[in-house]
Every structure is written in C-alpha cells, then in structure tokens.
C-alpha cells in the first residue's frame, strides 16, 4: 500500500531521504475525493520525477462559512487505494491541528491575478489556497508540484506566489481530464443528480461554441452573452462569469473582436441547482 504519513516531520524525513539518494520528488496537492483527473496529475509527475507524494487535506481556510466544507466528499481508504493503483509513493494526510496549530495567524494574500472571477465570487478562497499551498511546498520541499488546469486561476495564483516568494519548486500545469461527453472531471460532480449531470454538458458545449465564434471573428461581448444564454436555456440557474481573459494575467479581453496576437482563455463558473461548476479552455 502507498505509505500514509500524518506529520510534517515524517513527510520531510521521507522526502529528504529520497533526495539524499538522488531521487527527485513531485508533490500533488489535493483535497481528496480523488478521480481520474487527480490520477492524471500523479501520472504526469511520474514522467518527470522518480518519487511522487500526494497530499489530501480538505482545507478549511478556502471555504467560506456558507460553503460546502462539511459536505465536501471524503474517503481516505478509497483515496489511498487509488493512489496505490497509480503507483504514488506517499500520501501526506495531516489533520487540521497539524496544518493549523493553536494560534496559527498567517495568511498569504495576493493582489492582481487573484482578484477577478473566483476571487470576486469567493473572496476568502485564494487567500486560503495560497496559504495552504505555500505551507505544503515548504513542508514537502518538492522539486516539482503538479496542479490541474481545471482550476486555471488557482494555477496562475500558485505560479505567482511561488515566483513572488522565491519558492524553489517548478509548478507544472496538467491538462483538464474530461468525461466522454466533455464535462471536466471534478470532485463536486458527485453532487449532481442524474438530470443535472445530463444538463451539465451544456457548459463545455457552450464554451466550445463561444470559442468557435470568436475565432470566426465574432465580438467577444456577443459570444459571452450567447454562452450565458445557452447555459440558462440548459437549466443553469446562475452564471457567475463566462469571460474571455488574457491567459497569463487574466485581464479582461473584448468587448470587440479579439486582436491578433491575443492569448485568450475562456473561463466560466455557473450554478446547476446547488452545485457550482467551473471550467476553462484555451481559445
Ligand atoms: O485544487 C485543490 O484541490 C485545492 O485548492 C488545493 C490546491 C489542494 C489546495 O487546497
């Protein structure tokens, strides 16, 4: 079985032993409820380094009080089995007291890339993510850390933090894993009813249509409005954003046709019943 450690001391001891033996180490931070998307991150890490460490920690600091921290799916035995099947070497599964001991007072906050989109919809979110990811990178001292492009803004935020704080790690982005119909894999897809799951495919479909439209010269604003209307017609009750943004700094593109040389990324978040789905695609 994949070995499980629960303390920073045990984690560091193992990682330092590997490094002393000349083996590079990759970290895959997760909140558990693992699916094929997470396992694809492990497999990508294995193509670059000898040893892989997955962390599973449902981070309370990135959930607002009204959000789904309590309901978030958990299952360590299943997660450990999946990591074992993917050939992951170590599972770091700390409890909340190990990560945030009594008196914990530090938060990593950023400006810029963390502010629009998810940052506007979930004001506490990126502070919580940046804090826990910075801790994990300092705790594990990996050579690389792999994050899914599914959470594209999170990936850009983590790139910014590691650059700003000179953390000695290479951040690797991994392509979004999708179900056969195109829906991005997400632990939160488990919340969807059968009917909602069938309707959810409207999200990637609306995004592909919007990208095809702007590539054919449509105005960005018009393509965004059509995408939102398509989602509402498919039963989404609220669209938080459906925006073409610069792929690097996530500044707004449009309202007119894309200028040549633009590096657009379409990012979307929308509610289907009680479930908030996010997705993004290069355009
Ligand atoms: O993407 C996630 O699962 C989480 O935001 C992360 C990066 C593990 C931090 O808690």
């Amino acid at each position: 079985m994949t070995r499980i450690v629960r303390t920073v001391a045990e984690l560091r001891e193992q990682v330092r032993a590997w490094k002393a033996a000349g083996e590079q180490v990759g970290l895959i931070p997760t909140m558990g409820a693992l699916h094929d998307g997470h396992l694809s991150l492990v497999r990508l890490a294995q193509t670059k380094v000898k040893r892989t460490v997955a962390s599973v920690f449902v981070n309370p600091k990135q959930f607002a009080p009204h959000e789904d921290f309590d309901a978030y799916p958990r299952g360590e035995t299943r997660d450990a089995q999946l990591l074992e099947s993917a050939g992951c070497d170590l599972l770091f599964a700390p409890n909340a007291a190990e990560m945030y001991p009594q008196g914990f007072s530090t938060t990593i906050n950023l400006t810029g890339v963390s502010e629009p989109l998810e940052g506007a919809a979930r004001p506490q979110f990126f502070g919580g993510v940046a804090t826990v990811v910075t801790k994990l990178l300092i705790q594990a001292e990996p050579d690389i850390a792999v994050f899914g492009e599914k959470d594209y803004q999170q990936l850009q935020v983590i790139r910014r933090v590691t650059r700003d704080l000179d953390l000695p790690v290479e951040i690797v982005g991994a392509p979004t894993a999708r179900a056969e119909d195109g829906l991005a894999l997400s632990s939160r897809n488990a919340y969807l009813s059968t009917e909602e799951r069938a309707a959810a495919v409207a999200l990637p479909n609306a995004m592909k249509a919007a990208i095809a439209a702007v590539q054919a010269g449509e105005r960005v604003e018009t393509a965004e409005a059509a995408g939102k209307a398509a989602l509402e017609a498919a039963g989404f009750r609220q669209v938080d954003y459906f925006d073409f943004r610069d792929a690097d700094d996530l500044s707004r593109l449009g309202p007119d046709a894309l200028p040549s040389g633009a590096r657009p990324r379409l990012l979307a978040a929308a509610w289907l019943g009680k479930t908030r789905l996010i997705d993004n695609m290069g355009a």
Side-chain angles (χ1 to χ4, degrees), residues 29-31 38 57 59 62 125 129 132-133 147 151 154 158:
T30 83
M31 297 205 301
H38 297 109
F57 179 63
N59 174 31
Q62 68 191 72
F125 178 62
V129 168
V132 80
V133 170
F147 297 86
D151 296 288
Q154 168 174 280
I158 291 165

Side-chain angles (χ1 to χ4, degrees), residues 108-194:
I108 306 280
N109 278 315
L110 314 71
T111 52
V113 73
S114 70
E115 286 171 327
L117 307 171
E118 289 304 288
R122 306 178 66 194
Q124 79 303 320
F125 178 62
F126 284 124
V129 168
T131 302
V132 80
V133 170
T134 302
K135 280 178 66 74
L136 287 165
L137 294 174
I138 291 171
Q139 291 166 344
E141 303 174 336
D143 298 287
I144 68 167
V146 185
F147 297 86
E149 281 183 354
K150 155 84 180 9
D151 296 288
Y152 188 81
Q153 189 178 10
Q154 168 174 280
L155 175 61
Q156 296 307 95
V157 163
I158 291 165
R159 288 191 197 285
R160 187 73 258 164
V161 172
T162 48
R163 251 183 263 144
D164 288 353
L165 299 183
D166 303 309
L167 298 177
V169 60
E170 181 195 341
I171 302 299
V172 177
T176 302
R178 295 182 180 277
E180 234 164 71
D181 66 356
L183 182 67
L185 299 189
S186 165
S187 304
R188 289 191 169 99
N189 292 353
Y191 300 152
L192 297 171
S193 68
T194 313

Side-chain angles (χ1 to χ4, degrees), residues 2-3 10 40 42 71 79 92 123 193 200 202 212 219 221-222 227 244:
T2 300
R3 183 176 167 219
E10 290 167 295
S40 75
V42 175
D79 287 344
F92 176 49
S193 68
R219 296 181 75 239
E221 194 177 56
T222 308
F244 282 92

Side-chain angles (χ1 to χ4, degrees), residues 39-114:
L39 301 183
S40 75
L41 307 184
V42 175
R43 286 192 282 267
L44 179 62
Q46 287 165 339
T47 66
K48 295 176 180 287
V49 293
K50 175 98 166 98
R51 297 293 182 178
T52 50
V53 180
S55 62
V56 171
F57 179 63
V58 185
N59 174 31
K61 291 201 184 294
Q62 68 191 72
F63 292 80
H66 64 277
E67 290 184 343
D68 57 347
F69 176 73
D70 290 333
Y72 198 84
R74 289 165 173 86
E76 186 178 282
T77 309
R78 186 178 162 279
D79 287 344
Q81 281 163 357
L82 288 171
L83 290 170
E84 167 74 15
S85 71
C88 184
D89 297 291
L90 189 69
L91 166 55
F92 176 49
N95 64 20
E98 180 72 7
M99 285 306 262
Y100 302 121
Q102 189 85 44
F104 187 90
S105 309
T106 303
T107 303
I108 306 280
N109 278 315
L110 314 71
T111 52
V113 73
S114 70

